[in-house]
Amino acid sequence: MITPLLEGPVLEAAQALLGRRLVSDVGGRTAVVLTEVEAYDGANDPASHAYRGMAPRNRSMFLGPGTLYVYRSYGIHWCMNVVCGPDGVAAAVLLRGGLAVEGEDLMTERRMGRRPLAIGPGNLTQALGVTGDLDGSSVIDGPLRVEGVAMGGRIEASPRVGISRAVDRPWRFALTPD
DNA sequence: ATAGCGATGTTCT
DNA sequence: GAACATCGCTATA
């Protein structure tokens, strides 16, 4: 088992990721506490990149729990997911935002002074230095890692952002820290 | 404060 | 060709 929190039903995994530290060692140490995620249920979810099966881009979604899936969004930004389904099951959690807790200077530099620092999927990857190079890496022992729970709080569910299929599923989860 | 729009890689029709 | 799990600049109010 990887860790009980990363493996299992994607709705549970998504909520379990909230409040955990996301630590990057790409070009220096930066870290956030995750505050916003979305669940995508692979073959069972018309909004998932894996709904129509494997393609070159989404290959890493099928590699098992704890795999990082990084893709280009709108040709410009990088977005990242943590896979939580077993091998061959492409359920994954899109990481959408966090609170900066370490290396804020480096994040500010990478973000070129823009705010917010790490809210929004494209902003989050930029702040942490995550690019397509990390696609397929492990969040357990790779350059970008999910670590222990840092913060508890209240979790709120709402519709996912920016999609046009399966819009009725309230699978976006946001954490309001205590 | 809100609205429109450009940038542009990968997938889908 | 069109759509897309986005973002930030610009224009108008």
Side-chain angles (χ1 to χ4, degrees):
Chain A
M1 160 168 353
I2 302 283
T3 140
L5 297 183
L6 290 188
E7 205 167 3
V10 68
L11 296 185
E12 292 176 21
Q15 295 173 75
L17 280 165
L18 290 173
R20 302 187 76 183
R21 281 173 68 92
L22 185 63
V23 180
S24 166
D25 281 326
V26 178
R29 170 71 62 114
T30 48
V32 301
V33 169
L34 286 170
T35 56
E36 187 188 340
V37 301
E38 284 176 2
Y40 286 88
D41 196 16
N44 306 312
D45 182 359
S48 169
H49 285 173
Y51 184 59
R52 292 165 219 286
M54 202 184 316
R57 175 178 67 167
N58 65 15
R59 185 184 107 73
S60 57
M61 293 183 87
F62 294 83
L63 299 184
T67 304
L68 195 68
Y69 163 49
V70 184
Y71 70 94
R72 218 185 256 287
S73 172
Y74 288 89
I76 300 173
H77 305 100
W78 296 106
C79 294
M80 61 178 157
N81 292 240
V82 173
V83 177
C84 63
D87 279 18
V89 175
V93 178
L94 171 68
L95 308 184
R96 292 192 56 91
L99 288 178
V101 292
E102 197 175 339
E104 296 186 39
D105 291 347
L106 180 50
M107 290 195 209
T108 300
E109 187 180 316
R110 284 180 177 142
R111 294 275 298 120
M112 296 176 287
R114 295 185 207 106
R115 294 281 175 152
L117 221 41
I119 302 295
N123 296 340
L124 178 63
T125 55
Q126 185 174 50
L128 294 174
V130 172
T131 69
D133 290 350
L134 295 198
D135 183 43
S137 68
S138 164
V139 299
I140 305 304
D141 56 12
L144 181 80
R145 296 177 304 283
V146 173
E147 297 184 348
V149 173
M151 234 175 250
R154 211 173 66 82
I155 295 177
E156 214 172 327
S158 58
R160 293 176 291 183
V161 173
I163 58 167
S164 57
R165 318 208 12 156
V167 290
D168 53 310
R169 303 184 188 184
W171 288 359
R172 170 176 176 263
F173 300 100
L175 177 77
T176 307
D178 293 320

